[in-house]
Amino acid sequence: MSEQPVVQPAGPGSPLEPVRRRVVFVVGAGRSGTSTMSGALRALGMHVPQPEVDADESNPKGFGEPQWVVDFHDELLQRCNVHVSDGRPSAWYECGKLAAFEPLRGRLHTWLEQQFVDGGPELVIKDPRLAWFVGLWRSAALRCDATPAYVTLLRPPAEVVGSRQRTYDAKVGEVQRTAAWINMMLHTERATRGSARRFVRYDDMLADWTVPVFGLGQAFDLAAVLTAQANDIRAVHAFIDPGLRHRSPSWDELEVPPGLRDLAQATWESLDRLAEPDGDVPAVHDRLDELRTAYSVLYTEAEAISTSTALAAHRDGLAQLPGPVNAVVRRNADRIPHTVRAAVPPRLRRGLRRLAGRRRG
């Protein structure tokens, strides 16, 4: 779809100025500085759809996340049976299928169009969950005659895992968080490849935010950034507080298997090259493709090795089910009364048959 200008009314005697719609999607793993980027662009005059997620102790200056977007993504992830920190390579396929579901496409387009009407021609939308649905959002932006662009925040994986471990549910361990970081970052890079995009180091944002942010303004032709006034710039200086960054852990402080740690470190080194001037080049893409394949192989091997553990957990779960359902496994299913069998959802019945060693032809 070609980009269509939106005509902005002008004063008497002035020519009509075409204003092109822009939407910047801030993507990347949580605790990588995505809130810092979103907040900086908002302070410079880009619109974050309202209302926003409330600030809390984990992010006292705010998340820069529209509440509607977070709720929408939570709904989609639940529909796909995908966790926000999912380490399964197959999870991307499950989420990607929704990009072709027209009712969702229409619903998102309607919401996004209203944000342009309410907030102006330049939006910034940030949520760590967004990376799972890049295709869906790209479609919505194009249907709104808007140019989508992506900025991915980069922070060393040991720091991200350590920060998430301190901040969020400790039931998710360091190994799973490391795997999820690799999965998220490699597939986000692949999903945004070929689009207008920039990679920004969190360290560079804290050291001197003006360099990466005004670089984005030039790369994406963002009027709010390029025409920022002194008060806007002072607002960003007040917003970004390097002191909020906690002590950075190293791999030595995390209990991560060497093979997974080395793969995460290699992924970080290749992603970090993308933040260099002229670093977003085919040679780096090829290396990231190799790493994505290596991660898929590693994950498949881990799944195969842990099959006994997964089956044991499945049996434990079935043991907690109500008696009639559990009886389907403990006895031959054909000997269970039809009324009881009919009460078991079809998908569960198929799973129970497989567990019992029989399939229906």
Side-chain angles (χ1 to χ4, degrees), residues 154-223:
L154 301 177
R155 188 180 183 186
E159 294 186 17
V160 174
V161 172
S163 179
R164 293 180 68 85
Q165 206 62 12
R166 288 192 304 268
T167 305
Y168 301 128
D169 189 352
K171 288 188 292 186
V172 179
E174 296 167 349
V175 174
Q176 181 178 340
R177 293 197 193 282
T178 301
W181 181 89
I182 297 172
N183 196 35
M184 168 66 72
M185 298 304 293
L186 287 174
H187 283 82
T188 299
E189 185 280 323
R190 186 63 187 87
T192 59
R193 195 182 298 175
S195 301
R197 68 178 187 176
R198 285 294 184 273
F199 294 83
V200 175
R201 300 182 186 95
Y202 183 44
D203 281 348
D204 292 343
M205 283 291 292
L206 296 183
D208 182 2
W209 66 268
T210 63
V211 175
V213 172
F214 282 102
L216 291 180
Q218 292 179 334
F220 300 156
D221 192 23
L222 302 175

Side-chain angles (χ1 to χ4, degrees), residues 1-309:
M1 180 181 297
S2 61
E3 182 185 0
Q4 299 295 323
V6 178
V7 176
Q8 187 83 338
S14 300
L16 294 179
E17 291 289 338
V19 177
R20 297 187 182 277
R21 287 177 168 181
R22 303 277 190 262
V23 54
V24 175
F25 297 110
V26 182
V27 294
R31 311 305 295 180
S32 294
T34 52
S35 299
T36 301
M37 175 61 74
S38 179
L41 293 175
R42 176 187 55 199
L44 291 174
M46 296 189 69
H47 179 66
V48 174
Q50 300 296 303
E52 296 179 36
V53 174
D54 292 335
D56 62 20
E57 292 182 358
S58 70
N59 217 337
K61 293 209 171 186
F63 292 87
E65 295 176 2
Q67 184 65 61
W68 186 92
V69 172
V70 172
D71 294 342
F72 179 66
H73 288 155
D74 281 342
E75 174 192 333
L76 299 190
L77 289 173
Q78 184 175 13
R79 183 181 300 195
C80 298
N81 190 27
V82 171
H83 187 265
V84 63
S85 296
D86 211 307
R88 296 173 299 156
S90 62
W92 294 96
Y93 173 73
E94 297 302 322
C95 290
K97 289 189 293 188
L98 293 182
F101 188 45
E102 183 55 34
L104 279 179
R105 290 159 60 99
R107 178 179 162 196
L108 183 56
H109 165 241
T110 299
W111 179 85
L112 189 60
E113 177 64 32
Q114 190 61 49
Q115 306 318 304
F116 282 114
V117 172
D118 295 342
E122 295 186 340
L123 306 180
V124 54
I125 297 180
K126 170 257 175 180
D127 178 18
R129 304 162 186 81
L130 191 149
W132 293 106
F133 307 104
V134 166
L136 191 61
W137 280 98
R138 180 186 291 116
S139 172
L142 295 176
R143 290 173 75 168
C144 291
D145 294 320
T147 300
Y150 306 87
V151 54
T152 303
L153 272 293
L154 301 177
R155 188 180 183 186
E159 294 186 17
V160 174
V161 172
S163 179
R164 293 180 68 85
Q165 206 62 12
R166 288 192 304 268
T167 305
Y168 301 128
D169 189 352
K171 288 188 292 186
V172 179
E174 296 167 349
V175 174
Q176 181 178 340
R177 293 197 193 282
T178 301
W181 181 89
I182 297 172
N183 196 35
M184 168 66 72
M185 298 304 293
L186 287 174
H187 283 82
T188 299
E189 185 280 323
R190 186 63 187 87
T192 59
R193 195 182 298 175
S195 301
R197 68 178 187 176
R198 285 294 184 273
F199 294 83
V200 175
R201 300 182 186 95
Y202 183 44
D203 281 348
D204 292 343
M205 283 291 292
L206 296 183
D208 182 2
W209 66 268
T210 63
V211 175
V213 172
F214 282 102
L216 291 180
Q218 292 179 334
F220 300 156
D221 192 23
L222 302 175
V225 177
L226 297 177
T227 63
Q229 302 299 306
N231 285 341
D232 303 324
I233 295 172
R234 281 195 289 270
V236 182
H237 280 305
F239 171 74
I240 297 180
D241 179 9
L244 288 176
R245 186 179 188 182
H246 300 287
R247 184 182 65 84
S248 301
S250 67
W251 287 119
D252 292 339
E253 300 172 65
L254 302 176
E255 295 184 5
V256 178
L260 187 64
R261 179 199 62 208
D262 293 346
L263 186 55
Q265 188 62 28
T267 299
W268 160 250
E269 291 169 0
S270 292
L271 290 171
D272 188 58
R273 291 181 61 190
L274 296 175
E276 296 289 341
D278 300 321
D280 198 351
V281 295
V284 180
H285 303 165
D286 291 345
R287 174 58 176 157
L288 288 163
D289 289 341
E290 292 173 0
L291 291 167
R292 196 172 63 256
T293 299
Y295 175 72
S296 295
V297 170
L298 178 64
Y299 195 91
T300 300
E301 291 174 348
E303 280 189 315
I305 292 171
S306 61
T307 297
S308 294
T309 299

